[in-house]
Amino acid sequence: MRSPFSQGARVLAGSIILLCAGVGAQLDTLAKRAGKVYFGSAVDNPELGDLPYKTLLSNASEFGQLTAGNSLKWETVQPVRGTYKFAGGDEILALAKQNRQLFRGHTCVWHSQLAAWVEAGKFSAKDLTAIIEDHCGRLVGHYKGEMYSWDVVNEAFEDDGSYRKSVFYNTLGTQYFETALRAARKADPNTKLYLNDYNVEGINSKSDAYYTLIKSLIAKKVPIDGFGVQGHLIVGQVPTNIRENFQRFADLGIDVAITELDIRMVLPVTPEKLEQQKRDYAAVIRACKAVKRCVGVTVWDYTDKYSWIPSVFKGEGAALPWDENLKKKPAYDGIASAWLS
Ligand code: G3I
């Protein structure tokens, strides 16, 4: 039947319905309305000197959660054995508290950005165990009561699902997971403890390896609360089984979070690539939305101005929802509409 209303009137009515449903609301607000705990962003300390950047980051309706991009890593926190430096982390915590944003801790045990003395020391298993207990205990303990969650162990597997041959694995085998997780739990009984990695968005050898490890940790009553899926993805290549992957971890009784989302493209930027990126962001958000225990999504910084991508992947970039001038890209609307869908 032909509608009695003009097309213009129908478009207007549609827009009003969308507005009432929350289009125009900001990303953390929309994530919470979708039942999530947060939508957030990573930030690195030098960026806080950029006032327009900091002002947008401080909008808690947009970002309900912050992650320190670098300042809580081992090389920064304990560069010399026994010397602890929390100034960078403390600065981001103060900002998060002022803005009423959650704070995620990143990261306690990682082979990269590790203080040189840890590898150079050629420590025995007994000594390295004590070093992990001390480091995780002090780091997590320093932020006791302040952190929503911690990436206790980061990037522990290779892409083929074998254990990464880090100094931790080479000295301690798989025992170091338990050592780090127990030390973190002792230091802060209320923060959520995660294992975190990249290339584990879909079902593959690496996510299978995590599934097996987490199952065995749970069976041994080792404290583990969540699986962090970093989400460093490529435009047009987003895995199609993210939801199924998240659900199997949720079914183990733990939370899932997307901890470092960015979706990069080969430069230059074109309108077509931006549209594909919008669809890709929406697909990732829909997967999190669909899994009850997916608690939140963090972008690995929010603007292309401060993305790590161009320095590591030559000729690639434009991976984030805001461009270099802090202007929203189509990806922003992809995220917003996916939370609403
Ligand atoms: O601090 C030095 C500075 O003194 C020097 O002038 C400058 C010159 O390049 O380098 C600075 O260090 C850089 C550091 O970031 C702080 O900006 C390092 O070179 C650079 O390698 C380092 O990159 C970080 C990267 O981790 C290292 O792996 C990125 O900022 C950080 O965003 C990135 O984050 C990781 C996550 O922790 C884990 N998952 C992957 C993700 C992306 O690589």
Side-chain angles (χ1 to χ4, degrees):
M1 200 177 78
R2 217 179 129 79
S3 164
F5 300 106
S6 70
Q7 196 187 352
R10 275 181 278 135
V11 168
L12 183 65
S15 308
I16 290 168
I17 289 167
L18 275 175
L19 270 175
C20 295
V23 171
Q26 295 173 308
L27 300 183
D28 182 72
T29 304
L30 292 172
K32 287 190 167 82
R33 278 188 208 164
K36 304 302 162 188
V37 182
Y38 60 83
F39 182 87
S41 175
V43 51
D44 201 4
N45 298 72
E47 299 157 14
L48 295 177
D50 175 343
L51 196 57
Y53 168 88
K54 186 179 174 184
T55 303
L56 181 42
L57 183 80
S58 298
N59 177 353
S61 307
E62 206 74 271
F63 307 109
Q65 175 272 326
L66 301 183
T67 304
N70 279 307
S71 48
L72 291 177
K73 293 172 177 174
W74 197 314
E75 67 176 6
T76 306
V77 167
Q78 195 186 178
V80 172
R81 192 172 182 183
T83 302
Y84 278 83
K85 297 188 176 187
F86 295 112
D90 290 357
E91 183 186 22
I92 296 174
L93 172 63
L95 182 70
K97 285 179 89 162
Q98 188 185 321
N99 299 333
R100 297 175 189 273
Q101 294 160 315
L102 296 173
F103 197 17
R104 285 195 88 254
H106 176 82
T107 173
C108 194
V109 174
W110 189 26
H111 69 281
S112 180
Q113 292 179 287
L114 177 61
W117 64 267
V118 180
E119 271 181 282
K122 305 208 180 317
F123 295 108
S124 66
K126 186 165 168 276
D127 286 350
L128 191 57
T129 299
I131 287 167
I132 293 172
E133 283 171 343
D134 176 67
H135 183 77
C136 292
R138 288 209 200 198
L139 176 56
V140 175
H142 182 82
Y143 294 101
K144 184 177 179 186
E146 308 283 11
M147 286 286 183
Y148 170 76
S149 60
W150 268 102
D151 295 329
V152 178
V153 179
N154 194 40
E155 300 178 4
F157 283 94
E158 302 284 356
D159 284 351
D160 66 3
S162 62
Y163 284 101
R164 185 186 289 279
K165 308 297 180 288
S166 66
V167 64
F168 305 108
Y169 181 79
N170 290 341
T171 311
L172 299 166
T174 57
Q175 184 59 33
Y176 82 89
F177 293 97
E178 181 169 344
T179 301
L181 287 161
R182 287 199 191 283
R185 173 58 84 238
K186 199 171 155 201
D188 187 348
N190 294 318
T191 193
K192 293 195 182 292
L193 309 179
Y194 279 63
L195 304 184
N196 188 55
D197 214 323
Y198 60 87
N199 288 350
V200 290
E201 294 72 26
I203 296 177
N204 56 35
S205 306
K206 196 172 186 178
S207 60
D208 284 351
Y210 272 99
Y211 185 79
T212 305
L213 171 66
I214 290 173
K215 227 171 147 177
S216 81
L217 291 171
I218 292 170
K220 284 195 280 179
K221 301 205 177 335
V222 176
I224 169 88
D225 304 304
F227 182 42
V229 171
Q230 292 184 5
H232 295 297
L233 298 171
I234 301 172
V235 164
Q237 297 179 38
V238 170
T240 51
N241 52 12
I242 299 179
R243 176 182 172 169
E244 291 78 1
N245 189 39
F246 284 7
Q247 192 59 56
R248 67 176 174 155
F249 284 93
D251 290 343
L252 291 177
I254 61 166
D255 291 340
V256 181
I258 302 172
T259 54
E260 305 184 13
L261 183 61
D262 49 28
I263 311 184
R264 63 186 185 266
M265 61 180 71
V266 173
L267 300 173
V269 171
T270 65
E272 292 73 26
K273 289 180 202 170
L274 289 175
E275 281 307 307
Q276 182 61 46
Q277 185 181 51
K278 174 182 177 178
R279 290 191 287 275
D280 291 338
Y281 266 99
V284 175
I285 297 296
R286 278 198 305 271
C288 179
K289 191 181 174 203
V291 177
K292 197 158 184 279
R293 293 204 69 162
C294 180
V295 294
V297 176
T298 307
V299 282
W300 204 240
D301 228 314
Y302 69 85
T303 158
D304 293 335
K305 187 172 183 182
Y306 295 121
S307 172
W308 67 291
I309 298 287
S311 63
V312 174
F313 297 97
K314 298 292 167 208
E316 296 180 58
L320 293 163
W322 278 260
D323 73 10
E324 294 195 356
N325 299 312
L326 309 188
K327 201 168 155 283
K328 290 173 188 168
K329 293 157 63 179
Y332 181 96
D333 297 327
I335 298 171
S337 57
W339 285 134
L340 278 166
S341 64

